[in-house]
Amino acid sequence: MGDIAQKAKSVYLRLIENDTELIHLRKLIESGKASYEAAQKYSERAGQLAKKAISQVSKGDLTVTQAVLNPILEANYQDVMTVASQAQNVIYEAAKVNLKPATVSYDNTCVDSISSKFDNYDNVDDALNVAENLFISASQNYVDEIGRRSAKFMDESGINVLVSREYDDVGIHTTDKGGSEVCQWCLDRCGVDIPYDEAYDMGMFERHPGCGCVITYRTKRGVVIQGKGDWETNKWSRNESADRISMAEAMKYKAEYKEKVSRELRKIVGARVNDTEIKKISRHFYDQAYNRKMNPFDITDAIKHSLKIGDIKVNKNGKSSFQIIGKNATVYLNPDNGTITTVHKTHTKLVEKLMKRKDYESKT
């Protein structure tokens, strides 16, 4: 697997070298105009490209994916550390702080966290997509840790440091970057200056997957690490927009949706499709149904009144499934164990084609 690991690293390095956003951020740092926010944005984008590189190299093969995971994450670590150290030097020089950039060791625990996702999904690319925030968090963590350690050095050197957080660059911090689920826990820690020695107890350094908060360190000399510092323009209260909901409300809505889907799908458990009895529904199915905003009734309608039953196909990991195409939903069923694995909306053009064929067949 040595050759495939080297190929994977080469693919990742080519992606980061040619990415327009990363080119801009590198030039910003090299010009001496960088903030730690630039380094953090770099780490976020680099994390996304690490996942993309793995997907391109593995092509859905689980064995290859597991073989290249660690080499690519190590390459991501080395790249992000280089950029973060460069940014730190620029910031120290501007703030006239005579310190060397902090160093951080490679964290291989992120490999286990990402690998565990593969156990829950039949499709490797689906698992990688779900794990994208873990790639980003692993990459961000190096920048965060360099900043935290640098602030610690300053604080121990007698330079009083205050720690703040601010929302990400979309103005609202969201757990999914989509603007629909707002993390009140993060919002409660934004817009306040906390002495460094109290910041741990306040949770100022903590992140959840998908967190885009910018952590800012200030001294009497000004901002030395990260941040825009304009809290008034970034602040947001829960009542400003009725269509934005809290994390607790979002989780409650998701639980209610899953229960609604479960009630509807109980009607088709035990039904047979192509001699395969439907025995259970996978957790991945519920996640995909929720993310794709599927109507539960469209799912059962596809089972009961299918327009077409596809042939059995086997993926690169040896798992079988066939499509059950309905008017508004396409369901995937594993014939080996009777598990409904995933679902998506049926394309309009395909429905029109199948309906015409069905109409023709009924007339002949």
Side-chain angles (χ1 to χ4, degrees):
M1 283 290 180
D3 291 342
I4 194 68
Q6 190 57 46
K7 177 185 177 181
K9 291 176 69 173
S10 298
V11 169
Y12 171 70
L13 293 175
R14 185 170 65 250
L15 286 173
I16 61 173
E17 182 181 351
N18 297 324
D19 186 76
T20 304
E21 182 180 350
L22 295 190
I23 291 172
H24 168 71
L25 292 171
R26 283 194 294 267
K27 287 182 178 179
L28 192 66
I29 292 170
E30 290 167 2
S31 70
K33 299 177 182 178
S35 68
Y36 234 65
E37 184 184 1
Q40 191 178 62
K41 286 184 176 180
Y42 186 99
S43 69
E44 181 175 346
R45 179 59 180 158
Q48 293 173 335
L49 293 179
K51 189 221 75 170
K52 184 177 180 179
I54 290 174
S55 182
Q56 287 185 1
V57 174
S58 67
K59 296 179 180 179
D61 189 300
L62 180 59
T63 302
V64 174
T65 300
Q66 292 174 329
V68 302
L69 187 56
N70 191 64
I72 285 185
L73 288 174
E74 281 188 331
N76 168 258
Y77 157 74
Q78 293 166 358
D79 174 54
V80 171
M81 280 292 294
T82 298
V83 170
S85 296
Q86 291 173 343
Q88 188 69 75
N89 275 325
V90 170
I91 294 162
Y92 277 168
E93 288 175 10
K96 298 180 180 180
V97 175
N98 188 24
L99 289 173
K100 293 182 179 181
T103 58
V104 181
S105 300
Y106 172 60
D107 180 12
N108 59 11
T109 60
C110 57
V111 176
D112 295 331
S113 298
I114 294 171
S115 293
S116 65
K117 294 292 182 183
F118 300 129
D119 297 333
N120 301 322
Y121 293 88
D122 293 333
N123 184 286
V124 171
D125 286 330
D126 283 345
L128 286 172
N129 289 334
V130 170
E132 182 171 16
N133 282 334
L134 295 177
F135 283 96
I136 294 172
S137 295
S139 188
Q140 282 180 326
N141 184 62
Y142 300 123
V143 178
D144 286 345
E145 188 64 9
I146 284 179
R148 188 195 65 75
R149 291 188 183 189
S150 299
K152 182 181 179 182
F153 293 157
M154 286 189 289
D155 198 64
E156 291 175 345
S157 301
I159 304 173
N160 293 329
V161 177
L162 297 175
V163 183
S164 301
R165 290 170 77 111
E166 65 176 300
Y167 303 133
D168 59 20
D169 56 2
V170 298
I172 299 272
H173 171 73
T174 64
T175 60
D176 62 355
K177 292 291 184 182
S180 61
E181 297 183 12
V182 177
C183 180
Q184 192 62 43
W185 188 92
C186 286
L187 290 173
D188 290 341
R189 285 156 181 79
C190 289
V192 293
D193 293 325
I194 305 297
Y196 181 85
D197 58 358
E198 299 175 16
Y200 270 107
D201 292 337
M202 287 285 293
M204 298 297 286
F205 304 111
E206 296 180 22
R207 288 190 183 280
H208 55 76
C211 179
C213 286
V214 177
I215 301 172
T216 306
Y217 303 89
R218 305 169 184 276
T219 71
K220 290 182 179 179
R221 303 179 189 184
V223 176
V224 292
I225 308 172
Q226 298 184 355
K228 304 171 186 174
D230 190 358
W231 308 115
E232 294 303 320
T233 58
N234 282 330
K235 269 199 173 181
W236 171 80
S237 66
R238 211 183 299 195
N239 297 325
E240 277 186 30
S241 177
D243 62 344
R244 292 174 181 151
I245 57 177
S246 71
M247 175 65 79
E249 290 168 331
M251 294 300 289
K252 180 182 177 183
Y253 174 80
K254 188 171 184 179
E256 290 173 348
Y257 173 84
K258 182 177 179 180
E259 177 57 31
K260 184 178 180 181
V261 173
S262 296
R263 283 199 307 268
E264 183 63 19
L265 293 189
R266 289 188 197 114
K267 299 175 183 178
I268 51 95
V269 171
R272 302 189 72 87
V273 181
N274 259 18
D275 294 327
T276 298
E277 181 183 351
I278 298 175
K279 296 180 180 179
K280 59 181 179 178
I281 317 297
S282 71
R283 183 169 64 181
H284 176 61
F285 173 90
Y286 286 112
D287 290 339
Q288 294 299 77
Y290 176 79
N291 292 336
R292 293 165 178 170
K293 299 178 173 61
M294 301 298 301
N295 185 322
F297 304 104
D298 290 337
I299 298 170
T300 52
D301 182 71
I303 302 294
K304 295 176 180 178
H305 309 106
S306 60
L307 300 177
K308 181 182 178 181
I309 305 295
D311 296 329
I312 295 175
K313 295 183 179 181
V314 181
N315 65 19
K316 292 181 179 180
N317 300 317
K319 295 185 177 180
S320 304
S321 67
F322 63 86
Q323 290 182 328
I324 306 169
I325 304 173
K327 189 174 180 180
N328 297 304
T330 296
V331 179
Y332 290 74
L333 179 61
N334 185 325
D336 298 329
N337 55 24
T339 301
I340 292 182
T341 57
T342 190
V343 64
H344 61 72
K345 293 181 180 179
T346 306
H347 197 284
T348 305
K349 289 185 178 180
L350 177 59
V351 173
E352 291 175 353
K353 178 181 177 181
L354 294 175
M355 291 293 285
K356 286 180 181 178
R357 180 184 300 174
K358 193 172 184 179
D359 184 55
Y360 172 79
E361 290 174 349
S362 66
K363 292 178 181 178
T364 58

